[in-house]
Structure formats: structure tokens, C-alpha cells
Amino acid sequence: MKTVLIVEDDLINARVFSKILTKRGGLDVKHTENVDEVITIAQAGDADLILMDVSLSRSVYQGKSVDGIKITQMLKADPKTAHLPVILVTAHAMEGDRENFLKQSGADGYISKPVVDHQLFVDQILALLPKE
């Protein structure tokens, strides 16, 4: 079974995503907003894909406040985790945000919140999951 790591500071969003992914996608789900945990899980190969909230309000790494863009950059810069697909999830869905965030972060995909079409949400994630 494939595992999706949800990096999200809003527990309601995390629960909604989790429910959609397990019920509709048949996926296993982990959740954390702790940056050290994200890196540990990614490096250990315990996630097949990461859903990364762009605006993490409480995430800190090595004493500095970091957002989803920065965490994604760190994952993409590490040879151990560079192959791991990362999908940015954000409520910032203004014209040009998608391209800007993808370019800045090196992420593999982008989904805007709120997630209205649950099947499309699952399909976008399944499309980026590594095939066996």
C-alpha cells in the first residue's frame, strides 16, 4: 500500500485530506507539520508522496521559521529524497501563484484549496505516485 505524508498545520484540512485519500484512494496516510519528522520520514523511505502545505504557520527547522516551499527545496536538494514526489497544497491560488510556487520549490505538482472535487484530488495524487 502506498503512503502519503500530509504536511499541514490545519488539523481540519489534514483530517479531510486523510479521509479522502484512505476512503477514495485506498492509500495509507501519515500526518505531521514537524519539519524534522518530515525529513526523517522522507529519508527513511516511509512515504511515497508528500502533500505539502505552502503556508505552514508553526513550522521551524534549526531555529528558523520555514514554509512548505523551503521544506520542499530542502527535500529536492537532498539526493536521498530528491526523487520523492511533492505536491504543494495551498489556498494561495492567484494568477501566477502555481507557476511561481512550482518554480521556487521544485515541487512536482500543485493543488489549490479548498479541495472541492475529491475524485480529481485523488486522481492528481495517484498520477504522481511511483509505479511499482
Side-chain angles (χ1 to χ4, degrees):
M1 184 182 280
K2 298 287 186 186
T3 301
V4 174
L5 174 59
I6 300 171
V7 183
E8 168 67 70
D9 59 0
D10 181 319
L11 280 178
I12 293 165
N13 278 339
R15 283 197 190 109
V16 169
F17 294 163
S18 187
K19 193 166 270 180
I20 296 169
L21 293 174
T22 52
K23 294 242 186 310
R24 280 191 185 235
L27 297 163
D28 214 9
V29 174
K30 293 178 191 255
H31 168 253
T32 186
E33 60 177 293
N34 177 310
V35 185
D36 290 307
E37 277 179 35
V38 172
I39 291 167
T40 301
I41 291 168
Q43 287 180 340
D46 291 340
D48 298 292
L49 182 141
I50 297 179
L51 269 186
M52 180 73 68
D53 184 18
V54 169
S55 317
L56 295 165
S57 56
R58 298 181 291 271
S59 292
V60 174
Y61 184 67
Q62 294 177 341
K64 294 191 183 92
S65 185
V66 292
D67 62 6
I69 301 285
K70 181 69 188 148
I71 299 167
T72 304
Q73 289 169 341
M74 288 166 18
L75 291 167
K76 291 299 183 182
D78 180 344
K80 282 193 209 135
T81 56
H83 66 282
L84 192 61
V86 178
I87 300 178
L88 299 176
V89 186
T90 181
H92 299 285
M94 301 296 290
E95 188 71 41
D97 277 352
R98 175 192 171 95
E99 294 71 25
N100 189 14
F101 287 149
L102 286 171
K103 196 170 133 193
Q104 269 183 27
S105 66
D108 304 278
Y110 176 100
I111 295 173
S112 57
K113 289 190 263 192
V115 170
V116 184
D117 185 334
H118 293 181
Q119 194 55 54
L120 179 63
F121 176 68
V122 170
D123 291 346
Q124 286 175 291
I125 289 162
L126 292 176
L128 279 177
L129 275 169
K131 308 292 177 264
E132 290 309 332

